[in-house]
Amino acid sequence: MTTELIALASDDPSDLQMMVDRVAEENEGLMLDYTFLSDTGASVINRYGLFNQDDPRGRAIPHPTTYVIDREGVVRWKMTEVNYRIRPENEDIAAALNELKD
């Protein structure tokens, strides 16, 4: 099974690159090996209703969301969290991906 990871952010491309560079610097040259897509106008984020206008830090940010989508484009697993610090467990994502093998 081939898996592709894509990250969508409301940050502009230069801010995303700064984050990638910072991760590499802080982790002995570790390069993130997945695609980052910039949605600066939040058109995709808004289309899915994921923009959090009530962020406690005072700026609107997307709700952290993870999708597992099969080859036909069907969402097979999803987690959306209001708290930006809560993310899915790797085991949960792996389990959802394993379900696609059947």
Side-chain angles (χ1 to χ4, degrees), residues 11-69:
D11 303 291
D12 64 48
S14 62
D15 288 340
L16 288 174
Q17 187 60 53
M18 284 187 339
M19 187 269 306
V20 169
D21 294 343
R22 186 181 72 240
V23 167
E25 182 179 308
E26 293 173 356
N27 295 282
E28 300 175 12
L30 172 73
M31 295 304 298
L32 300 175
D33 61 350
Y34 50 91
T35 304
F36 285 92
L37 300 177
S38 176
D39 186 20
T40 54
S43 60
V44 174
I45 293 164
N46 280 324
R47 178 175 286 160
Y48 288 89
L50 299 174
F51 221 52
N52 179 6
Q53 299 294 337
D54 301 319
D55 181 65
R57 297 175 298 170
R59 66 182 183 104
I61 61 170
H63 292 295
T65 302
T66 302
Y67 291 100
V68 172
I69 303 170

